[in-house]
Amino acid sequence: MGFPKLSLPGGRVWLRGAMAAVATNCSLRVKRLLLDAKFEGYKLSLEPLACYQVGLDSPVAEVKLRDDQYTLDHMRAFGMYNYLHLDPWYQDNVYYVDQLGRIMNLSITLILFNEEFESPFVIVHSVSFVNSDAHSVSVLLLRVEKDDSDVEGSGFHVSLEWVTITKTAKEGDQGYEISKRRLLQGKSVPHYAAIEPSGDGLMVISYKPYTFIQQSDENEYEGSEKKKAEEKKKEPLYYWQQTKDDLTVTLHLPEDFTKEDIHINFSSNRISLTLKEQPRPVLEGTFYSSIDHESSTWIIKENNSLEISLMKKEEGHLWPELIVGDSQGELIMDPAQSAAIAEQLMHLTSEEMNPDPSKENPPCNAQELEECDIFLEDSTSLCRFDGNTLKVTHVVSVR
């Protein structure tokens, strides 16, 4: 029995994995039939580029940022954005959104859609499809929004709003209205995000994970934000540490707990921990990457804590999170790792303001370092979200 294949919209990479109710760790394979063995490289042409000019009755809508929208994520999301979208099937056609809120194909109105969006956004991806004999368009909108609950980070979060508009069934009405509106939030601008051609799923490649936020109404959304802020104030459910080879997870147990009161099941990509008299697992989810579950163990320590030792299947790769989308734990940085990072940055810092600029590696003041000077993301993950269940179905570690 073969595994189903999933393709990235607009790409040529295939993803193989077993379909399941939970997220499945997968691996990417090159489809070698698409590789050209005779390809030598691209050559720069000196021919002038073709330019076309068309008069518009309304200018192209641009995102204009305020003075308080200054983070690196804002620059990544809006700074180098192209507001003209080339039609992949008819390359003479260009789509854009004008200042009247219309989706335009040069001078032809395609969809009449009247909806107000308060904060600035860019269109990351869109697809057109027919479902139940009704024409629909799914659009992925990207925003960088203020997050008052984030007191330790930049104070902003990244939102991906997945909006589906469907042609109305009213006789004589050619307009469109919103049929579905879903919201995802994360802490980094995605490297890649695209809706599947059928409109049933969403692919996101990012350094930090995205999670769905239920948005039935404004009150419920505000309530979820307050709940998140309260959860941040609570004591973490577990603490975890890592080296290049393994991970250690520590949970505090109630008094007088024995091995018989603990039930742990973990496979190469998933863990489930249930305690006595608990109807549901206290810890459950999909690992960020695969583990060697046969070499992984757990014990009860003398200080009444449970210690789980997990062996990484891919050595040398640091995980940004233990369980995909889980915020109940806290990463404890190894002092040796902190010291190694500090030593690597030593030549960049000084108590003096650039004392010797003629040196090969002149130091700079630590206060001059900005968010863009931080290490580039060395590990990312590809997640597939189901449009109906709003859950992650597949996870791939991408380097």
Side-chain angles (χ1 to χ4, degrees), residues 223-275:
S224 65
E225 290 298 304
K226 292 180 180 179
K227 185 177 180 181
K228 278 188 175 181
E230 293 175 357
E231 288 178 352
K232 285 188 176 181
K233 298 179 182 179
K234 294 181 180 179
E235 185 75 13
L237 173 65
Y238 61 90
Y239 296 90
W240 66 287
Q241 296 176 289
Q242 65 175 321
T243 66
K244 293 183 178 181
D245 305 320
D246 56 37
L247 307 104
T248 302
V249 185
T250 304
L251 295 91
H252 180 72
L253 295 174
E255 295 183 2
D256 302 326
F257 254 59
T258 63
K259 290 184 178 181
E260 288 73 21
D261 301 325
I262 301 172
H263 300 281
I264 298 182
N265 294 315
F266 43 69
S267 61
S268 60
N269 57 11
R270 189 169 177 81
I271 185 173
S272 176
L273 168 62
T274 305
L275 301 180

Side-chain angles (χ1 to χ4, degrees), residues 8 45 78 111 119 146 159 230 322 363 374 394 396:
L8 299 179
S45 174
F78 305 109
I111 295 177
S119 55
K146 188 70 177 175
S159 296
E230 293 175 357
L322 178 67
I374 301 174
H394 294 76
V396 179

Side-chain angles (χ1 to χ4, degrees), residues 94-113:
V94 176
Y95 296 87
Y96 66 93
V97 178
D98 68 8
Q99 292 186 358
L100 298 179
R102 301 176 298 179
I103 299 177
M104 307 292 290
N105 178 0
L106 292 181
S107 59
I108 302 175
T109 301
L110 294 181
I111 295 177
L112 295 175
F113 179 63

Side-chain angles (χ1 to χ4, degrees), residues 75 138 144 174 184 225 242 308 311 323 356 381 399:
M75 297 301 102
S138 280
V144 180
Q174 297 298 318
L184 298 92
E225 290 298 304
Q242 65 175 321
I308 306 173
M311 304 300 297
I323 297 175
D356 190 357
S381 60
R399 294 187 182 183

Side-chain angles (χ1 to χ4, degrees), residues 283-301:
L283 180 62
E284 185 178 34
T286 302
F287 291 124
Y288 173 79
S289 188
S290 299
I291 66 166
D292 183 0
H293 63 284
E294 294 182 353
S295 301
S296 300
T297 59
W298 62 274
I299 61 171
I300 298 179
K301 306 285 286 186

Side-chain angles (χ1 to χ4, degrees), residues 51-122:
C51 298
Y52 302 92
Q53 294 184 356
V54 177
L56 305 176
D57 60 348
S58 177
V60 176
E62 299 182 46
V63 173
K64 296 182 179 180
L65 302 178
R66 302 187 306 271
D67 292 340
D68 60 341
Q69 297 172 325
Y70 51 81
T71 66
L72 178 61
D73 282 329
H74 283 92
M75 297 301 102
R76 285 178 173 174
F78 305 109
M80 299 295 292
Y81 188 76
N82 186 357
Y83 294 96
L84 304 180
H85 298 264
L86 184 67
D87 191 322
W89 291 278
Y90 303 97
Q91 297 194 2
D92 293 333
N93 292 342
V94 176
Y95 296 87
Y96 66 93
V97 178
D98 68 8
Q99 292 186 358
L100 298 179
R102 301 176 298 179
I103 299 177
M104 307 292 290
N105 178 0
L106 292 181
S107 59
I108 302 175
T109 301
L110 294 181
I111 295 177
L112 295 175
F113 179 63
N114 184 16
E115 181 72 19
E116 294 293 334
F117 293 94
E118 296 180 359
S119 55
F121 65 88
V122 292

Side-chain angles (χ1 to χ4, degrees), residues 307-355:
E307 183 176 285
I308 306 173
S309 300
L310 307 172
M311 304 300 297
K312 295 180 180 179
K313 185 167 287 187
E314 296 183 9
E315 299 179 356
H317 181 48
L318 294 180
W319 294 12
E321 57 179 344
L322 178 67
I323 297 175
V324 176
D326 183 70
S327 58
Q328 301 179 91
E330 181 178 320
L331 172 63
I332 304 299
M333 182 70 74
D334 188 342
Q337 293 176 347
S338 301
I341 294 175
E343 186 177 353
Q344 293 175 4
L345 298 176
M346 187 67 69
H347 72 282
L348 297 176
T349 60
S350 173
E351 296 298 330
E352 304 176 24
M353 293 291 291
N354 201 10

